[in-house]
Amino acid sequence: MTDDLRFTVLGSASPYPRAGNPCSGYLVEGGGARLWMDAGSGTLGALRAHTSLDRLDGIWISHLHADHCADLLTAYYGLLYADIELRAPVPLFGPPGIADRLAGFLTNGPRRSPVEDAFQVVELRDHHRALVGGLALTSRAVTHGMPAFGVRIETEDGACLAYSGDTAPCEALTALADDCAVLLCEADYARAPRAGTEAVYHTPEQAGESAATSGARRLVVTHLGPSLEPAEAVTRAGARCTGPVEYAAPGRTFGVPGRSR
Protein backbone atom coordinates (compact mmCIF):
# COMPACT_ATOMS: atom_id res chain seq x y z
CA MET A 1 0.00 0.00 0.00
CA THR A 2 1.33 3.45 -0.91
CA ASP A 3 0.68 6.99 0.28
CA ASP A 4 1.99 8.43 -3.00
CA LEU A 5 -0.70 8.91 -5.63
CA ARG A 6 -0.40 6.75 -8.74
CA PHE A 7 -2.63 4.93 -11.20
CA THR A 8 -2.19 1.74 -13.17
CA VAL A 9 -3.91 1.29 -16.52
CA LEU A 10 -5.93 -1.92 -16.45
CA GLY A 11 -7.30 -1.23 -19.92
CA SER A 12 -7.92 1.64 -22.31
CA ALA A 13 -9.65 0.15 -25.37
CA SER A 14 -12.85 1.48 -26.93
CA PRO A 15 -15.58 0.37 -27.53
CA TYR A 16 -14.70 -3.27 -26.84
CA PRO A 17 -11.54 -5.08 -25.68
CA ARG A 18 -8.61 -5.60 -28.01
CA ALA A 19 -6.12 -8.44 -27.76
CA GLY A 20 -4.03 -7.53 -24.74
CA ASN A 21 -6.04 -4.42 -23.89
CA PRO A 22 -9.29 -4.49 -21.90
CA CYS A 23 -11.76 -1.60 -21.93
CA SER A 24 -11.54 1.40 -19.60
CA GLY A 25 -10.33 0.69 -16.08
CA TYR A 26 -7.68 2.00 -13.70
CA LEU A 27 -6.36 1.09 -10.28
CA VAL A 28 -5.76 4.32 -8.34
CA GLU A 29 -3.57 4.02 -5.25
CA GLY A 30 -2.63 6.68 -2.73
CA GLY A 31 -3.33 7.94 0.73
CA GLY A 32 -3.23 4.35 1.94
CA ALA A 33 -6.22 3.42 -0.26
CA ARG A 34 -7.02 1.49 -3.42
CA LEU A 35 -9.74 2.61 -5.83
CA TRP A 36 -10.95 0.76 -8.94
CA MET A 37 -11.88 3.57 -11.31
CA ASP A 38 -14.16 2.33 -14.09
CA ALA A 39 -14.69 -1.38 -14.57
CA GLY A 40 -14.86 -1.94 -18.31
CA SER A 41 -14.90 -5.34 -19.99
CA GLY A 42 -11.80 -7.35 -19.13
CA THR A 43 -10.46 -5.09 -16.39
CA LEU A 44 -11.25 -7.39 -13.46
CA GLY A 45 -8.65 -9.92 -14.58
CA ALA A 46 -6.07 -7.17 -14.94
CA LEU A 47 -7.01 -5.77 -11.53
CA ARG A 48 -6.39 -9.14 -9.87
CA ALA A 49 -2.77 -9.02 -11.03
CA HIS A 50 -2.36 -6.12 -8.55
CA THR A 51 -4.87 -6.69 -5.77
CA SER A 52 -7.96 -8.66 -4.78
CA LEU A 53 -11.52 -7.40 -4.68
CA ASP A 54 -11.72 -7.59 -0.90
CA ARG A 55 -8.69 -5.29 -0.57
CA LEU A 56 -10.34 -2.47 -2.49
CA ASP A 57 -11.41 0.59 -0.53
CA GLY A 58 -13.87 1.69 -3.20
CA ILE A 59 -15.04 1.52 -6.80
CA TRP A 60 -15.90 4.61 -8.87
CA ILE A 61 -17.86 4.35 -12.14
CA SER A 62 -18.12 7.23 -14.62
CA HIS A 63 -21.20 6.04 -16.52
CA LEU A 64 -23.19 2.96 -17.41
CA HIS A 65 -21.90 2.10 -20.87
CA ALA A 66 -20.62 -1.49 -20.81
CA ASP A 67 -17.05 -0.54 -21.72
CA HIS A 68 -16.86 1.29 -18.38
CA CYS A 69 -18.90 -0.89 -16.02
CA ALA A 70 -19.50 -4.43 -17.38
CA ASP A 71 -17.00 -6.13 -15.07
CA LEU A 72 -19.06 -5.11 -12.04
CA LEU A 73 -21.22 -8.09 -12.96
CA THR A 74 -18.44 -10.62 -12.54
CA ALA A 75 -17.07 -8.68 -9.55
CA TYR A 76 -20.43 -9.29 -7.86
CA TYR A 77 -19.98 -13.04 -8.18
CA GLY A 78 -16.38 -12.78 -7.04
CA LEU A 79 -17.31 -10.82 -3.92
CA LEU A 80 -20.17 -13.06 -2.82
CA TYR A 81 -19.64 -16.55 -4.20
CA ALA A 82 -15.91 -17.18 -4.70
CA ASP A 83 -12.77 -17.35 -2.57
CA ILE A 84 -13.32 -14.05 -0.76
CA GLU A 85 -14.52 -13.52 2.80
CA LEU A 86 -16.16 -10.12 2.44
CA ARG A 87 -16.19 -8.21 5.74
CA ALA A 88 -18.47 -5.46 4.42
CA PRO A 89 -19.87 -4.39 1.05
CA VAL A 90 -17.37 -2.48 -1.09
CA PRO A 91 -18.31 1.22 -1.51
CA LEU A 92 -19.49 1.72 -5.10
CA PHE A 93 -19.86 5.26 -6.41
CA GLY A 94 -21.79 5.45 -9.67
CA PRO A 95 -24.50 7.21 -11.67
CA PRO A 96 -28.12 7.20 -10.46
CA GLY A 97 -29.80 3.85 -11.03
CA ILE A 98 -26.61 1.79 -11.00
CA ALA A 99 -27.88 -0.70 -8.39
CA ASP A 100 -31.10 -1.43 -10.28
CA ARG A 101 -29.17 -1.72 -13.54
CA LEU A 102 -26.91 -4.37 -12.02
CA ALA A 103 -29.82 -6.17 -10.38
CA GLY A 104 -31.73 -6.21 -13.66
CA PHE A 105 -28.97 -8.22 -15.26
CA LEU A 106 -28.05 -10.40 -12.29
CA THR A 107 -31.54 -11.41 -11.15
CA ASN A 108 -32.57 -14.80 -12.53
CA GLY A 109 -35.69 -15.57 -10.51
CA PRO A 110 -38.46 -14.00 -8.46
CA ARG A 111 -36.04 -12.66 -5.82
CA ARG A 112 -33.93 -9.63 -6.68
CA SER A 113 -30.22 -10.45 -6.57
CA PRO A 114 -28.65 -9.00 -3.40
CA VAL A 115 -26.54 -6.37 -5.12
CA GLU A 116 -26.26 -4.40 -1.89
CA ASP A 117 -24.62 -7.37 -0.14
CA ALA A 118 -21.64 -6.93 -2.48
CA PHE A 119 -21.69 -3.16 -3.01
CA GLN A 120 -22.44 -0.23 -0.72
CA VAL A 121 -24.01 1.88 -3.45
CA VAL A 122 -23.60 5.66 -3.40
CA GLU A 123 -25.22 7.53 -6.31
CA LEU A 124 -23.19 10.35 -7.80
CA ARG A 125 -24.47 13.85 -8.43
CA ASP A 126 -22.84 17.03 -9.72
CA HIS A 127 -20.29 18.32 -7.17
CA HIS A 128 -20.46 15.07 -5.16
CA ARG A 129 -17.62 14.75 -2.65
CA ALA A 130 -16.39 11.65 -0.87
CA LEU A 131 -13.38 10.31 1.04
CA VAL A 132 -11.98 6.89 0.21
CA GLY A 133 -9.24 6.38 2.75
CA GLY A 134 -6.83 9.22 2.14
CA LEU A 135 -8.23 9.96 -1.33
CA ALA A 136 -10.57 12.95 -1.68
CA LEU A 137 -12.94 12.52 -4.65
CA THR A 138 -14.90 15.32 -6.32
CA SER A 139 -17.26 14.24 -9.11
CA ARG A 140 -18.79 16.50 -11.73
CA ALA A 141 -21.48 15.83 -14.32
CA VAL A 142 -19.96 15.91 -17.81
CA THR A 143 -21.30 15.92 -21.38
CA HIS A 144 -21.86 12.43 -22.79
CA GLY A 145 -25.51 12.33 -23.83
CA MET A 146 -26.42 10.35 -20.68
CA PRO A 147 -25.71 10.64 -16.95
CA ALA A 148 -21.90 10.66 -16.83
CA PHE A 149 -19.23 11.98 -14.50
CA GLY A 150 -15.59 12.96 -14.35
CA VAL A 151 -13.61 12.96 -11.12
CA ARG A 152 -10.81 14.85 -9.38
CA ILE A 153 -8.76 12.77 -6.91
CA GLU A 154 -6.51 14.51 -4.39
CA THR A 155 -4.24 13.52 -1.52
CA GLU A 156 -3.11 15.46 1.52
CA ASP A 157 0.29 16.25 -0.01
CA GLY A 158 -1.35 18.10 -2.90
CA ALA A 159 -1.16 15.36 -5.53
CA CYS A 160 -4.06 15.67 -7.95
CA LEU A 161 -5.35 13.41 -10.73
CA ALA A 162 -8.30 14.40 -12.95
CA TYR A 163 -10.17 11.83 -15.04
CA SER A 164 -12.59 12.77 -17.79
CA GLY A 165 -14.63 9.58 -18.01
CA ASP A 166 -16.26 9.94 -21.44
CA THR A 167 -17.23 13.48 -22.36
CA ALA A 168 -17.12 16.20 -24.94
CA PRO A 169 -15.06 19.23 -23.88
CA CYS A 170 -16.98 21.04 -21.14
CA GLU A 171 -16.52 23.53 -18.30
CA ALA A 172 -17.02 20.83 -15.67
CA LEU A 173 -13.99 18.90 -16.90
CA THR A 174 -11.89 22.07 -17.05
CA ALA A 175 -12.82 22.78 -13.43
CA LEU A 176 -11.97 19.23 -12.34
CA ALA A 177 -8.56 19.43 -14.00
CA ASP A 178 -7.71 22.94 -12.76
CA ASP A 179 -3.95 23.03 -12.08
CA CYS A 180 -3.83 19.23 -11.63
CA ALA A 181 -0.63 17.22 -11.98
CA VAL A 182 -2.17 14.75 -14.45
CA LEU A 183 -5.26 14.84 -16.65
CA LEU A 184 -6.32 11.38 -17.83
CA CYS A 185 -8.55 12.22 -20.79
CA GLU A 186 -10.31 10.14 -23.40
CA ALA A 187 -9.68 10.94 -27.06
CA ASP A 188 -12.15 8.70 -28.83
CA TYR A 189 -12.93 10.77 -31.90
CA ALA A 190 -10.52 10.58 -34.81
CA ARG A 191 -12.44 13.53 -36.24
CA ALA A 192 -14.99 15.87 -34.69
CA PRO A 193 -18.60 15.02 -35.58
CA ARG A 194 -20.26 16.98 -38.35
CA ALA A 195 -22.07 20.20 -37.56
CA GLY A 196 -25.43 19.65 -35.90
CA THR A 197 -24.40 16.33 -34.34
CA GLU A 198 -24.05 16.25 -30.57
CA ALA A 199 -20.45 15.73 -29.50
CA VAL A 200 -19.91 13.19 -26.71
CA TYR A 201 -16.12 12.65 -26.86
CA HIS A 202 -12.86 14.55 -27.35
CA THR A 203 -10.63 14.46 -30.39
CA PRO A 204 -6.90 14.30 -29.55
CA GLU A 205 -6.64 18.01 -30.32
CA GLN A 206 -9.51 18.77 -27.95
CA ALA A 207 -7.89 16.66 -25.23
CA GLY A 208 -4.77 18.81 -25.62
CA GLU A 209 -6.89 21.94 -25.45
CA SER A 210 -8.68 20.74 -22.29
CA ALA A 211 -5.30 20.14 -20.68
CA ALA A 212 -4.02 23.56 -21.73
CA THR A 213 -7.16 25.42 -20.66
CA SER A 214 -7.25 23.75 -17.24
CA GLY A 215 -3.55 24.19 -16.58
CA ALA A 216 -2.98 20.44 -16.22
CA ARG A 217 0.75 19.83 -16.10
CA ARG A 218 0.67 16.44 -17.84
CA LEU A 219 -1.82 14.79 -20.19
CA VAL A 220 -2.41 11.06 -20.59
CA VAL A 221 -4.73 10.18 -23.48
CA THR A 222 -6.87 7.08 -23.20
CA HIS A 223 -10.00 5.39 -24.66
CA LEU A 224 -8.79 5.94 -28.22
CA GLY A 225 -11.26 5.15 -30.99
CA PRO A 226 -10.61 2.10 -33.17
CA SER A 227 -9.15 4.19 -36.02
CA LEU A 228 -6.67 6.08 -33.81
CA GLU A 229 -3.16 4.82 -33.19
CA PRO A 230 -1.52 5.86 -29.90
CA ALA A 231 1.44 7.66 -31.52
CA GLU A 232 -0.89 9.70 -33.71
CA ALA A 233 -3.14 10.62 -30.80
CA VAL A 234 -0.17 11.71 -28.67
CA THR A 235 1.27 13.85 -31.48
CA ARG A 236 -2.05 15.51 -32.27
CA ALA A 237 -2.83 16.23 -28.61
CA GLY A 238 0.69 17.52 -28.00
CA ALA A 239 0.26 20.16 -30.70
CA ARG A 240 -2.38 21.85 -28.54
CA CYS A 241 -0.71 21.86 -25.11
CA THR A 242 2.72 22.66 -23.72
CA GLY A 243 3.12 19.88 -21.14
CA PRO A 244 4.14 16.28 -21.78
CA VAL A 245 1.59 13.98 -23.43
CA GLU A 246 1.57 10.20 -23.10
CA TYR A 247 -0.67 7.25 -23.93
CA ALA A 248 -2.44 5.10 -21.34
CA ALA A 249 -0.80 1.85 -22.39
CA PRO A 250 -2.32 -1.17 -20.64
CA GLY A 251 -0.25 -2.28 -17.67
CA ARG A 252 1.59 1.00 -17.29
CA THR A 253 1.72 2.79 -13.94
CA PHE A 254 1.84 6.61 -13.81
CA GLY A 255 3.01 8.53 -10.74
CA VAL A 256 1.12 11.67 -9.77
CA PRO A 257 3.47 14.01 -7.90
CA GLY A 258 2.38 16.19 -4.99
CA ARG A 259 3.03 19.88 -4.67
CA SER A 260 6.23 19.34 -2.71
CA ARG A 261 7.95 17.56 -5.60
Side-chain angles (χ1 to χ4, degrees), residues 99-146:
D100 287 342
R101 180 73 70 87
L102 292 173
F105 188 94
L106 293 165
T107 300
N108 297 303
R111 178 177 175 268
R112 181 182 184 273
S113 287
V115 171
E116 289 79 6
D117 288 353
F119 304 113
Q120 178 190 338
V121 179
V122 178
E123 292 191 346
L124 295 175
R125 63 182 184 280
D126 197 22
H127 296 282
H128 183 275
R129 295 180 184 273
L131 285 175
V132 177
L135 300 176
L137 278 58
T138 301
S139 300
R140 291 293 310 273
V142 293
T143 303
H144 193 50
M146 64 182 297

Side-chain angles (χ1 to χ4, degrees), residues 159-195:
C160 177
L161 165 68
Y163 172 50
S164 66
D166 283 0
T167 180
C170 61
E171 292 183 5
L173 177 60
T174 301
L176 284 177
D178 180 45
D179 197 30
C180 68
V182 180
L183 170 59
L184 176 62
C185 187
E186 57 79 21
D188 191 277
Y189 282 147
R191 298 286 181 268
R194 64 181 182 276

